[in-house]
Amino acid sequence: MSQTEEEVRLEKIAQLREKGINPFAYTFDKSHSVAALRTEFDALKTDEKSEKTVSIAGRIVAKRGHGKATFGNVMDVTDRIQYYANLDTLGQEQYDLLLNLDVGDIIGIAGHPFRTKRSELSVFVTSFVLLTKSMTPLPEKYHGLQDKELRYRMRYVDLIANPEVREVFKTRSDVVRQIREFLHNRDYMEVETPVLHSIYGGASAKPFATHHNTLDQKLYLRIALELHLKRLIVGGFERVFEIGRVFRNEGVSYKHNPEYTLLELYQAYADYSDVMSLTEELISGLVLRLTGSYTLIYQGQEIDFTPPFKRFTLRDVLLEYAGVDMNDGTEVLQKKAIQMGLDISQKPLKGQLINYIYDKAVEKHLIQPTFILDYPWETSPLAKRKRDNPELVERFELIVSTMELANAFSELNDPQDQLDRFNDQLKAKESGWDEAHEMDEDFVNALKYGMPPTGGLGIGIDRVVMLLTDSASIRDVLFFPHMKDKV
């Protein structure tokens, strides 16, 4: 029976050890990344070789030639480059060792940069060392890993076999760095708050539950960052933000993953109008800095982030796209929801009905960056009531390409009103709304000490990255998206 490729490579590992060669080295001193080498020696002319010795390291991604000379390509995190080696320079033993290496092995190379007759910048190998022997071969023909699910499950192979994927995650890193710089430059302080909560809150979502054995305490993975950050505003900090993972035990889709990265910030002595301006400046500036333009193409559509963004009230868009007036009574809204095929068997509150109709009939029409303002109070228990209409709250969402990118409030700071809202949420939970907010007495107690007028904002980092990398799914911008167990 013929050997598998992995069995062949295991034999090679044994042979290397017999020769006293460690197939899994400890370190290697690089003088250049491939990109830096290309920059420094770009001026070399055809057939010209530098006398300078350089050292690079990377994974072999191609090999060719088996006579007295051989070519190959190595790839590091920055780029790939051709190497050239011959028998006369390396000697028989080293040359045979090089020929016996496999695509996928990681090597360190010392040599001289030169430009070939075909004008390709390459490295003339004077010595090399095997750094890591790969046991499992890369996908066939190097670009063989095309199956989406397999790419998500084996991201480590995806990053090797599809180097363009690395660019997505480099952009993701740039996005987070740029956001931090933007906020630091405006005197926001970055903080860290607990991931394990005894009471989950800050959003309408189902939590993941766990248990602390020593304390014999039920705990929840946080669904939002809000309530701890606002406690810090009470404590006297005036501008705080956190970028962190949150966890929601809900459906998976192209724009939802059970865990995702959220930015939340809070600014004392501000309201949702101030935060709207900040959001517009942050998002439009991010697009401009990372793409060089206010416009980008996302999934075949041109999106224009030139400020100012469009602004509509929730009532405006419901009238335009759903033919529904949110000022109508609950019965009228129920009939409309039924006509639209929505399941309202649990007898939702009026605010819930409005949200259901909006999700079904409106959001799909919102492509260009659009602020939607002023939501029903029932579904926004942490937001201040609108100054001229107590049935609404001062809240906005930023929608881009049918996705909610940001959510913001003038934050509720009246402790009695907050207590009443929490009690309303408990009644909603009793009536069947399992995503209603829990009672958080300690948060109410914090508000009793006095929280200044505050504007708050949450931005889904993953969705921002989706837009900036033209990624169709949130899974494309997460290194390790959640996957269903294989059967």
Side-chain angles (χ1 to χ4, degrees):
M1 187 170 65
S2 60
Q3 291 180 300
T4 66
E5 179 69 24
E6 192 163 312
E7 288 171 336
V8 170
R9 295 191 182 200
L10 284 170
E11 282 190 2
K12 288 184 177 182
I13 289 174
Q15 292 165 4
L16 288 165
R17 286 181 166 141
E18 287 175 6
K19 294 177 181 177
I21 299 171
N22 183 1
F24 302 99
Y26 285 88
T27 187
F28 182 78
D29 187 15
K30 294 198 313 178
S31 67
H32 290 72
S33 68
V34 172
L37 187 147
R38 287 192 176 280
T39 298
E40 183 174 343
F41 296 96
D42 183 61
L44 285 175
K45 297 180 175 61
T46 300
D47 260 350
E48 182 183 2
K49 183 170 71 173
S50 171
E51 293 304 313
K52 183 174 181 178
T53 299
V54 299
S55 58
I56 60 172
R59 189 182 298 273
I60 298 174
V61 293
K63 288 181 62 187
R64 53 203 175 275
H66 296 284
K68 293 185 178 182
T70 183
F71 289 86
N73 292 86
V74 293
M75 179 178 71
D76 69 6
V77 71
T78 64
D79 202 351
R80 56 189 288 177
I81 195 166
Q82 179 175 263
Y83 66 82
Y84 165 80
N86 62 39
L87 176 62
D88 292 341
T89 303
L90 292 180
Q92 192 69 57
E93 185 176 352
Q94 281 292 99
Y95 187 71
D96 288 345
L97 178 59
L98 182 61
L99 290 180
N100 202 39
L101 296 182
D102 295 297
V103 170
D105 292 351
I106 299 171
I107 62 172
I109 291 173
H112 302 288
F114 76 105
R115 199 170 289 280
T116 67
K117 288 183 172 60
R118 295 184 177 181
S119 201
E120 181 173 356
L121 185 64
S122 306
V123 176
F124 185 97
V125 181
T126 56
S127 66
F128 75 94
V129 59
L130 173 64
L131 301 176
T132 303
K133 180 67 187 172
S134 65
M135 283 193 276
T136 304
L138 293 176
E140 185 180 358
K141 295 182 181 178
Y142 177 51
H143 284 291
L145 190 66
Q146 299 299 328
D147 180 83
K148 273 281 189 182
E149 181 173 337
L150 192 58
R151 289 174 63 184
Y152 297 145
R153 290 187 186 277
M154 300 173 65
R155 183 69 84 187
Y156 43 91
V157 182
D158 185 31
L159 292 165
I160 300 168
N162 300 298
E164 68 277 4
V165 174
R166 296 183 186 180
E167 297 306 313
V168 170
F169 292 100
K170 288 178 183 177
T171 298
R172 182 187 179 101
S173 179
D174 285 344
V175 166
V176 174
R177 178 177 56 81
Q178 295 261 6
I179 289 173
R180 281 195 167 100
E181 288 180 2
F182 177 91
L183 294 173
H184 285 313
N185 289 339
R186 286 156 182 78
D187 297 325
Y188 283 83
M189 183 176 75
E190 185 169 10
V191 299
E192 295 175 301
T193 59
V195 173
L196 292 173
H197 291 182
S198 57
I199 300 172
Y200 63 91
S204 297
K206 298 177 185 177
F208 289 94
T210 187
H211 188 267
H212 191 292
N213 293 334
T214 302
L215 298 177
D216 191 23
Q217 181 181 20
K218 187 174 184 179
L219 296 169
Y220 303 93
L221 294 178
R222 64 186 181 189
I223 62 173
L225 314 176
E226 180 165 348
L227 298 186
H228 283 89
L229 291 176
K230 289 200 286 194
R231 284 173 169 93
L232 300 182
I233 298 292
V234 171
F237 291 109
E238 295 186 1
R239 297 187 179 205
V240 296
F241 80 95
E242 182 173 4
I243 298 174
R245 283 296 226 221
V246 295
F247 308 85
R248 298 187 181 181
N249 198 351
E250 54 192 23
V252 176
S253 73
Y254 78 95
K255 58 183 177 180
H256 292 98
N257 192 68
E259 59 174 305
Y260 64 97
T261 302
L262 183 64
L263 160 71
E264 286 200 29
L265 65 85
Y266 293 86
Q267 178 178 332
Y269 311 110
D271 65 6
Y272 79 144
S273 295
D274 300 310
V275 175
M276 201 178 314
S277 298
L278 182 80
T279 305
E280 189 173 73
E281 185 181 358
L282 170 60
I283 296 297
S284 63
L286 194 61
V287 172
L288 180 62
R289 287 190 297 275
L290 291 177
T291 71
S293 170
Y294 281 124
T295 61
L296 55 79
I297 302 298
Y298 181 69
Q299 299 300 292
Q301 291 180 307
E302 184 176 88
I303 312 293
D304 188 352
F305 288 89
T306 304
F309 299 164
K310 297 177 182 177
R311 288 166 165 77
F312 299 105
T313 67
L314 181 60
R315 186 180 182 218
D316 291 336
V317 291
L318 282 167
L319 284 167
E320 180 174 353
Y321 295 111
V324 169
D325 189 337
M326 60 187 284
N327 292 336
D328 287 338
T330 302
E331 289 187 5
V332 174
L333 293 171
Q334 283 179 332
K335 289 179 181 177
K336 182 64 177 181
I338 292 170
Q339 291 171 3
M340 296 171 64
L342 292 168
D343 179 10
I344 58 167
S345 56
Q346 292 185 338
K347 296 183 179 179
L349 300 171
K350 180 179 178 180
Q352 291 173 269
L353 278 170
I354 290 169
N355 278 359
Y356 295 157
I357 293 170
Y358 167 82
D359 289 343
K360 175 78 172 180
V362 177
E363 204 166 61
K364 62 186 177 183
H365 296 287
L366 304 177
I367 306 299
Q368 299 303 319
T370 305
F371 288 118
I372 306 299
L373 289 71
D374 303 338
Y375 286 72
W377 70 269
E378 298 101 322
T379 55
S380 306
L382 300 166
K384 285 180 82 81
R385 294 180 189 268
K386 190 164 168 59
R387 276 159 260 203
D388 58 358
N389 185 349
E391 292 301 306
L392 303 176
V393 292
E394 294 192 352
R395 169 186 173 189
F396 73 77
E397 290 185 358
L398 173 62
I399 312 298
V400 183
S401 192
T402 76
M403 293 188 294
E404 176 196 329
L405 219 61
N407 186 28
F409 311 148
S410 295
E411 301 295 336
L412 179 56
N413 61 344
D414 178 340
Q416 186 58 53
D417 193 1
Q418 185 65 83
L419 180 63
D420 292 343
R421 302 272 201 98
F422 280 159
N423 282 321
D424 288 333
Q425 291 287 299
L426 292 179
K427 291 175 185 176
K429 186 179 284 287
E430 290 171 2
S431 68
W433 187 27
D434 55 3
E435 292 188 355
H437 209 291
E438 294 284 302
M439 171 64 74
D440 190 333
E441 292 180 355
D442 182 73
F443 178 66
V444 175
N445 188 56
L447 292 182
K448 289 179 180 179
Y449 285 89
M451 184 175 84
T454 298
L457 169 68
I459 293 179
I461 298 294
D462 310 289
R463 293 182 183 178
V464 173
V465 179
M466 285 172 66
L467 289 165
L468 285 164
T469 59
D470 195 17
S471 298
S473 170
I474 194 171
R475 293 182 174 190
D476 295 327
V477 301
L478 297 171
F479 272 127
F480 304 105
H482 185 76
M483 303 292 291
K484 186 176 181 181
D485 289 340
K486 287 185 176 181
V487 179

